[in-house]
Amino acid sequence: QVQLVESGGGLVQAGGSLRLSCVASGRTFSINAMGWYRQAPEKQRELVATISTGGSTNYADSMKGRFTISRDNAKNTVYLQMNSLKPEDIAVYYCYARARAISITRDYWGQGTQVTVSS
């Protein structure tokens, strides 16, 4: 199966940057997409960005221009570069992976990493 471990969260001042990392292990060859979601306090979980194995990316409209998702397939790692951070970006950020075998799909989640932005 697949295990996901996130790192890189922390406290940053408004306007600063953070780079989140997520390392996948296990049956990584079965993964066809990875991404990031976030959940702010008392808010619903929302999509941040996704990236396919081939490198195609998709972003939530509010993230375009500030956040960049990328992959290093050799290291089984996905990154989220976050620039110009705002207090409204405060949330727990979760790494996500979708694995597929024939008609069976399964979603995997990391433990989450806290991002805090001071105003």
Side-chain angles (χ1 to χ4, degrees), residues 20-117:
L20 307 183
S21 299
C22 175
V23 179
S25 61
R27 303 184 70 180
T28 57
F29 60 86
S30 66
I31 297 173
N32 57 27
M34 297 184 71
W36 294 90
Y37 286 73
R38 71 183 185 184
Q39 187 166 14
E42 301 182 342
K43 301 292 185 180
Q44 292 184 330
R45 183 178 59 191
E46 65 176 338
L47 172 72
V48 176
T50 60
I51 186 168
S52 71
T53 303
S56 298
T57 59
N58 183 56
Y59 297 89
D61 287 342
S62 62
M63 314 302 167
K64 292 180 180 178
R66 294 193 301 127
F67 292 6
T68 303
I69 189 170
S70 61
R71 295 183 71 166
D72 185 338
N73 290 331
K75 296 181 178 180
N76 297 314
T77 302
V78 64
Y79 305 95
L80 184 68
Q81 178 67 47
M82 303 185 293
N83 298 324
S84 302
L85 284 163
K86 307 172 182 179
E88 51 261 45
D89 295 318
I90 295 173
V92 177
Y93 285 71
Y94 296 93
C95 183
Y96 159 85
R98 172 160 288 182
R100 181 178 179 180
I102 311 179
S103 62
I104 301 173
T105 61
R106 185 169 181 176
D107 295 336
Y108 298 88
W109 297 92
Q111 80 285 356
T113 185
Q114 177 71 49
V115 171
T116 302
V117 184

